[in-house]
């Protein structure tokens, strides 16, 4: 961020007018004009910018996020602001009418030499918008895009307005900057002089050494130290050339000048001699290879030999032993693009051919080669007319394409009469009824639509197509569009190509562990009971945090409460407790719990980027979605009380109802779920990885770096940061009362200091214990207790909220406002100990505190309640609702009950 002096100096250097300075100062001092959302398939992003020191929004991780990375690592970009105040664009519509629209650009950028607005668009979208609004978006001859209305708005201020297209994005650079981001932090440790010297000497003696070999050749240097030198440019790597996540493709030099010199020489075609490494040989049909400096193509891989096609059309068969010897000697290498002489058309014909085509072509070539050599084949020749036809095609392909072999490729794909046989009017009627009668929300069956088609054709006196032809026409239509028209957008989503949204330009699962994590919730298929009373408490909610790269479950949390900010905070706490860090990017859905200020503040504090996937499109979070299914089928469905049978609820009797057989408690289930997640699932081979998640995680850390400087100490400071605060984030210290949080006053002896009275201090409260809160007084967090601690201790925020709502309902007064006071709320809670809603919530909260105790390590698995103090005898109301005897209807005296401490 620019200081006031730097800003004034920049204005003088750029010659900005007073009016322009006023426009820019308004943008600099204003928050974003809107909050971006995930809709229409885009993944919105909230990125913690180190350059700006605030959260920067991106409307799409395919486009606008690339603009953030570009500005974040561009030394000429001084400041940039997302979603600046709207500006008015005036232009002529396609109809010729003059229109004016309020437009919010994506960014306002302040550079060392200029300033102005930027709008980022997908290239395909710009092409479409050009047809709709030709006066607003214009494509120049060099392929760049302009917005004349935006330029007209910016010109009077001496600013620019630029349209940036996704076609301009260098995705290799984007991927590398994301990979190196941790090593560009100020807290990244420096590399020792001995390691620095060893790495530099290794690169100097072998310029252009592959990064993968450098990682292996200097064992005393860790991958973190090598990536640190690359990020700080003490070792040079062209970050635009190859992704660092593929180290064998990356070349390392001592400095940029040396790297550019070798790059120029490499462009002349001498890269093999420079780097001294042969290209890999991919033994597959159609693969290109170099043999003695000449280009060949593998046309067949048999059981005993490999057939090679020369540039001039000859075919040679090499036994496997001979082929492997030539590869080992370096005489036969893989060819890269541009190193083979076969032209593009020959390449396309060979790529289209199937293995069956190559077998037939090789048989034909043997006949043609024998005829050209004047020899007779053993076993007889095909008919002379067939041989003459093959010879003719050989010579024709040799003359036109320079390769006679492709002339012998079978043309079976051209066989048959592929012309339409229906009359044009019949074909038009067929398409009309499929589009306008079948593909509608009425969802008519095919037979009824076909009947209507028959009547229409007979009325028009045209040929009626057969039912088979009609069904084929229906099945040829795009499945996704057809289902969407008949059943709606969400149903059509299921027919989309799997993963297409995430597999756009960068790996959808990241390049290393802890790069991308997915958080999601699900309700498990099992009924649980209270560990104290045996009462059925329903099905629990599970929250998973999964690592996208290794598919490893980083953290698991279990609770009875529906998804909320508490679940989000607890899953992050568990992740730091187990691994000491958080993922660099967190992918979440559009749930309100992920939009809470507590969750986003915690991510911003520890520099985690949040990506929000579109609603009703679960494939964006398929990592967690699949884990939910795996957890249910491989673990939960094997337990007593699982709810599989409830899918056919009409067949469920009391004898088989899961509620009658429930025996698992939340605490014990959580212990076993953690054991399954961290020990069983973690060590089983994953079909998508070919290894276990734990092995993939370990190998990914070894190659991608452990990044120890991103570790988060699991201390009191972190635990307090996972606690929520009130709406304002602060509370006023009132003398003799303390601070008021959620209608409850909390006191600490630190408030006796006269200097802090009547001041506002940051506050936090424990969502599972309404009797305790924390306030930040004179540079430290102090513990505060409620004015009615005996009433509120151990009660969760959710229970207090339920009681507040019930109290408001009971005191409705149509004209007056009813104020909730702590004393009234405490008395109400005490009088409703046996109320069904609150009692059930208390039992659930007690179970949740057991889980929290396991999470923080206070309780050991297997000793859940053995170490707890003895509970007072349960009242008849706690034994079961509706089961009390008529002689014992008096409510329990809560003043005489023993107050048990929390674990």
């Amino acid at each position: 961020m620019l200081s006031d002096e730097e800003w004034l100096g920049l204005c003088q250097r750029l010659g900005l007018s007073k009016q322009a300075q006023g426009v820019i100062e308004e943008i600099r001092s204003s928050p974003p004009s809107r909050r971006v959302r995930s809709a229409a398939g885009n993944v919105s992003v909230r990125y913690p910018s180190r350059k700006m020191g605030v959260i920067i929004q991106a409307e799409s991780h395919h486009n606008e996020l690339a603009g953030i990375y570009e500005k974040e690592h561009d030394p000429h970009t001084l400041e940039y602001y997302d979603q600046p105040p709207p500006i008015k664009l005036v232009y002529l519509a396609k109809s010729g009418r003059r229109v004016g629209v309020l437009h919010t650009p994506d960014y306002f950028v302040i550079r060392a030499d200029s300033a102005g607005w930027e709008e980022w668009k997908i290239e395909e979208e710009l092409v479409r918008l050009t047809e709709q609004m030709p006066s607003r978006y214009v494509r120049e001859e060099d392929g760049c895009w302009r917005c004349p209305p935006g330029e007209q708005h910016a010109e009077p201020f001496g600013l620019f307005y630029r349209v940036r297209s996704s076609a301009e994005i260098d995705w290799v650079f984007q991927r590398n900057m994301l990979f190196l981001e941790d090593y560009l932090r100020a807290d990244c440790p420096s590399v020792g002089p001995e390691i620095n010297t060893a790495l530099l000497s290794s690169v100097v003696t072998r310029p252009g050494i592959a990064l993968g070999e450098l990682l292996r050749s200097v064992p005393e240097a860790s991958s973190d130290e090598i990536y640190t030198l690359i990020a700080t440019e003490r070792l040079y790597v062209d970050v635009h050339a190859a992704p660092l996540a593929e180290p064998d493709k990356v070349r390392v030099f001592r400095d940029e000048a040396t790297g550019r010199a070798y790059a120029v020489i490499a462009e002349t075609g001498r890269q093999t001699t420079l780097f001294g490494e042969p290209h890999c040989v991919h033994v597959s049909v159609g693969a290109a290879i170099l043999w003695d400096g000449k280009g060949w193509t593998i046309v067949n891989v048999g059981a005993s030999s490999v057939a090679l096609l020369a540039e001039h059309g000859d075919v040679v068969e090499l036994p496997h032993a001979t082929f492997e010897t030539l590869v080992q000697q370096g005489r036969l290498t893989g060819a890269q693009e541009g190193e083979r002489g076969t032209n593009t058309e020959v390449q396309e014909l060979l790529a289209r051919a199937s293995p069956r085509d190559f077998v037939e072509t090789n048989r034909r070539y043997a006949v043609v080669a024998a005829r050209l050599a004047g020899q007779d084949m053993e076993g007889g020749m095909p008919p002379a007319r067939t041989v003459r036809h093959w010879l003719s095609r050989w010579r024709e392909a040799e003359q036109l394409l320079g390769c006679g072999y492709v002339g012998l490729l079978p043309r079976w794909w051209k066989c048959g009469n592929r012309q339409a046989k229906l009359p044009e009017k019949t074909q038009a009627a067929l398409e009309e009824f499929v589009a306008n009668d079948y593909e509608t929300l009425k969802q008519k069956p095919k037979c009824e639509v076909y009947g209507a088609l028959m009547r229409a054709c007979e009325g028009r006196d045209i040929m009626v197509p057969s039912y088979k032809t009609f069904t084929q026409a229906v099945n040829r239509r795009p499945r996704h569009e057809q289902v969407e028209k008949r059943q709606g957008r969400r149903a059509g989503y299921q027919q989309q190509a799997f993963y297409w949204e995430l597999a756009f330009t960068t790996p959808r699962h990241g390049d290393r562990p802890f790069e991308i994590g997915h958080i999601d919730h699900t309700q498990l298929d099992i009924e649980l009971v209270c560990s104290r009373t045996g009462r059925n408490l329903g099905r629990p909610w599970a929250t998973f945090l999964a690592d996208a790269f290794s598919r490893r479950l980083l953290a698991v949390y279990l609770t009875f409460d529906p998804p909320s900010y508490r679940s989000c905070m607890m899953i992050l706490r568990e992740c730091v407790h187990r691994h000491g860090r958080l993922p660099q990017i967190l992918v979440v859905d559009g749930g309100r719990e992920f939009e809470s200020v507590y969750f986003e503040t915690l991510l911003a504090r520890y520099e985690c980027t949040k990506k929000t996937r579109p609603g009703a499109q679960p494939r964006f979070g398929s990592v967690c979605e699949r884990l939910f299914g795996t957890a249910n089928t491989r673990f939960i469905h094997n337990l007593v009380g699982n709810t599989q049978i409830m899918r056919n609820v009409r067949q469920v009797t009391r004898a088989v109802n899961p509620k009658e057989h429930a025996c698992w408690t939340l605490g014990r289930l959580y212990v076993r779920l953690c054991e399954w997640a961290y020990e069983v699932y973690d060590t089983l081979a994953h079909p998508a990885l070919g290894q276990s998640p734990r092995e993939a995680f370990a190998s990914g850390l070894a190659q991608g770096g452990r990044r120890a400087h991103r570790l988060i100490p699991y201390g009191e400071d972190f635990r307090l940061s996972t606690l929520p605060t009130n709406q304002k984030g602060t509370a006023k210290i009132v003398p003799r009362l303390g601070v008021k949080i959620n209608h409850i006053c909390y006191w600490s002896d630190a408030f006796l200091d006269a200097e802090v009275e009547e001041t506002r201090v940051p506050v936090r409260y424990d969502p599972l214990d309404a009797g305790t809160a924390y306030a930040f007084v004179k540079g430290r967090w102090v513990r505060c207790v409620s004015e009615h601690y005996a009433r509120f201790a151990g009660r969760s925020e959710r229970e207090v909220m339920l009681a507040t709502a019930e109290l408001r309902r009971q005191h409705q007064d149509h004209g007056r406002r009813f104020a909730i006071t702590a004393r009234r709320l405490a008395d109400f809670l005490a009088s409703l100990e046996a109320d069904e809603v609150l009692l059930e919530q208390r039992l659930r909260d007690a179970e949740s505190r057991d889980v929290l105790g396991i999470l923080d390590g206070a309780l050991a698995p297997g000793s859940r309640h053995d170490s707890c103090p003895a509970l007072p005898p349960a009242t008849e109301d706690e034994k079961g609702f509706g089961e009390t005897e008529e002689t014992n209807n008096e409510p329990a005296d809560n003043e005489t009950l023993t107050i048990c401490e929390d674990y």
Side-chain angles (χ1 to χ4, degrees), residues 833-896:
E833 283 292 327
D835 182 83
E836 182 172 0
V837 176
L838 292 185
L839 177 59
E840 186 169 339
Q841 185 62 41
R842 290 214 69 188
L843 296 176
R844 290 183 174 186
D845 292 337
E847 299 296 304
S848 296
R849 278 190 288 274
D850 290 348
V851 171
L852 187 60
I854 299 173
L855 189 147
D856 285 333
L859 288 177
S863 60
R864 310 286 303 122
H865 307 295
D866 299 338
S867 59
C868 299
L871 293 176
T875 65
E876 291 300 321
D877 291 324
E878 290 177 337
K879 292 179 181 179
F881 295 100
E883 299 179 2
T884 56
E885 297 180 0
E886 296 182 358
T887 57
N888 189 13
N889 291 329
E890 297 182 359
D893 185 3
N894 294 282
E895 299 293 339
T896 62

Side-chain angles (χ1 to χ4, degrees), residues 480 483-484 486-496:
H480 160 60
V483 174
E484 184 172 342
R486 286 174 58 86
Q487 302 178 30
R489 178 176 57 86
R490 292 195 177 184
Y493 170 73
Q494 304 297 328
Q495 305 298 325
Q496 286 183 358

Side-chain angles (χ1 to χ4, degrees), residues 723 741 746 764-767 769-774 782-786 789 792-795 902:
L723 297 181
I741 306 174
Y746 294 89
R764 295 185 181 275
Y765 64 91
D766 191 339
D769 184 4
T772 305
Y774 298 87
V782 297
R783 183 173 180 268
C784 311
V785 296
S786 168
Y789 182 79
F792 290 129
R795 297 185 184 273
D902 294 339

Side-chain angles (χ1 to χ4, degrees), residues 471-657:
T471 56
Q472 289 176 346
V474 169
N475 295 335
R476 279 196 302 267
R477 304 274 289 188
R479 183 65 177 167
H480 160 60
E481 296 179 7
Q482 190 175 85
V483 174
E484 184 172 342
K485 291 177 181 178
R486 286 174 58 86
Q487 302 178 30
R489 178 176 57 86
R490 292 195 177 184
Y493 170 73
Q494 304 297 328
Q495 305 298 325
Q496 286 183 358
F498 202 64
Y499 276 130
W500 71 270
E501 297 90 350
L502 289 176
F504 184 67
T505 48
T506 56
R508 61 178 176 267
H509 297 308
D511 289 321
R512 56 179 178 82
F514 282 112
E515 180 180 339
I516 301 176
H518 290 255
I519 298 181
D520 209 348
H521 318 276
T522 191
Q523 197 168 21
L524 296 180
D525 297 341
I526 189 170
E527 296 282 346
L528 300 184
V529 297
C530 176
S531 60
R532 296 159 175 81
T533 65
R535 176 185 174 82
N536 187 287
L537 298 180
R539 295 165 57 190
W541 284 88
T543 303
F544 285 178
L545 171 54
D547 179 65
F549 178 84
S550 64
R551 312 300 202 278
R552 194 179 196 190
L553 273 169
L554 300 177
V556 176
Y557 180 66
L558 213 58
T559 180
F560 280 114
D561 292 337
S564 66
Y565 68 90
R566 294 179 291 275
S567 303
C568 299
M569 294 298 204
M570 292 301 105
I571 197 68
L572 296 182
R573 182 192 289 192
E574 170 70 348
C575 182
V576 173
H577 185 224
R578 284 183 49 79
H579 303 282
R581 62 182 304 178
L582 295 173
Q584 185 176 354
I585 298 172
L586 281 173
V587 181
V588 299
D589 60 26
R592 294 180 60 184
E593 67 273 15
F594 297 117
E595 302 288 335
S596 71
V597 64
Y598 318 121
F599 183 71
E600 293 190 345
T601 301
L602 183 65
L603 296 187
R605 177 176 180 181
Y606 293 102
E607 298 185 19
C608 295
T609 302
K610 188 186 83 168
K611 292 187 176 183
T612 304
R613 61 180 186 257
Q617 298 194 18
R619 291 176 188 169
F620 278 86
S622 60
V623 172
C624 272
E625 296 289 343
R626 290 183 175 180
L627 278 173
F628 290 149
T630 302
N632 272 321
T633 57
R634 296 190 177 182
F635 174 62
I636 298 298
H637 290 173
N638 295 301
L639 304 179
V640 176
N642 74 79
T643 59
Q644 291 183 83
I645 197 173
M646 298 304 291
R647 296 173 184 172
N648 299 318
V649 66
R650 292 179 178 273
Q651 301 176 8
V652 177
T653 62
R654 182 170 183 178
V656 297
N657 193 320

Side-chain angles (χ1 to χ4, degrees), residues 434-501:
V434 171
N436 302 330
D437 201 21
Y438 180 75
E439 295 178 347
T440 65
L441 293 178
K442 290 184 179 180
Q443 300 187 51
K444 291 184 179 180
K446 293 178 182 177
C447 58
E448 292 188 9
V449 178
Y450 178 69
L453 174 62
M454 288 179 61
R455 290 193 298 271
C457 290
E458 292 172 354
R460 301 175 190 176
D461 197 19
I462 59 178
M463 179 187 294
V464 178
S466 66
Y467 183 70
K468 180 179 180 181
T469 301
F470 171 76
T471 56
Q472 289 176 346
V474 169
N475 295 335
R476 279 196 302 267
R477 304 274 289 188
R479 183 65 177 167
H480 160 60
E481 296 179 7
Q482 190 175 85
V483 174
E484 184 172 342
K485 291 177 181 178
R486 286 174 58 86
Q487 302 178 30
R489 178 176 57 86
R490 292 195 177 184
Y493 170 73
Q494 304 297 328
Q495 305 298 325
Q496 286 183 358
F498 202 64
Y499 276 130
W500 71 270
E501 297 90 350

Side-chain angles (χ1 to χ4, degrees), residues 75-201:
H76 300 291
T77 299
L78 305 179
E79 293 180 352
Y80 65 101
Y81 300 87
D82 65 287
Q83 308 301 314
I87 60 178
K88 188 172 184 179
L89 302 183
V90 180
Y91 58 93
L92 294 178
K94 192 173 183 179
S95 62
R97 184 172 57 91
R98 184 180 177 86
V99 297
V101 295
L102 283 178
H103 161 63
T104 303
D106 291 311
Y107 304 108
F108 186 87
V109 186
I110 301 177
R111 296 175 55 84
D113 55 354
S114 59
W117 294 271
E118 279 189 4
E119 176 70 9
W120 287 73
K121 294 288 186 185
I122 299 293
E123 179 76 11
E124 294 77 9
E125 184 183 2
L126 282 171
V127 174
R128 179 178 57 82
L129 291 175
T130 303
E131 299 176 357
Q132 299 176 356
M133 297 174 283
S135 298
R136 181 169 175 177
Y137 295 102
V138 178
R139 187 172 190 173
E140 300 293 329
E141 294 181 357
D142 58 358
C144 296
W145 291 89
R146 293 177 52 240
C147 177
E151 295 172 358
Q152 292 172 8
H153 176 85
E155 186 177 2
F157 305 107
L159 306 176
F160 64 76
Y161 185 99
R162 294 173 183 162
V163 177
R164 303 293 303 276
S165 168
S166 61
E168 306 174 30
I169 300 174
D170 184 348
W171 288 107
V172 174
F173 172 78
Q174 296 283 327
R175 187 175 173 186
N176 285 336
M177 287 301 99
L178 178 62
F179 190 90
L180 292 174
E181 196 168 32
D182 287 339
Y183 302 103
L184 296 171
R185 293 164 52 100
D187 58 355
C188 181
S190 59
V191 180
E194 298 83 3
I195 300 298
N196 192 356
T197 303
L199 290 170
L200 188 59
S201 62

Side-chain angles (χ1 to χ4, degrees), residues 398-409:
E398 195 172 40
Q399 182 179 0
L400 296 177
L401 305 176
C403 180
Y405 182 85
V406 296
L408 300 180
L409 287 170

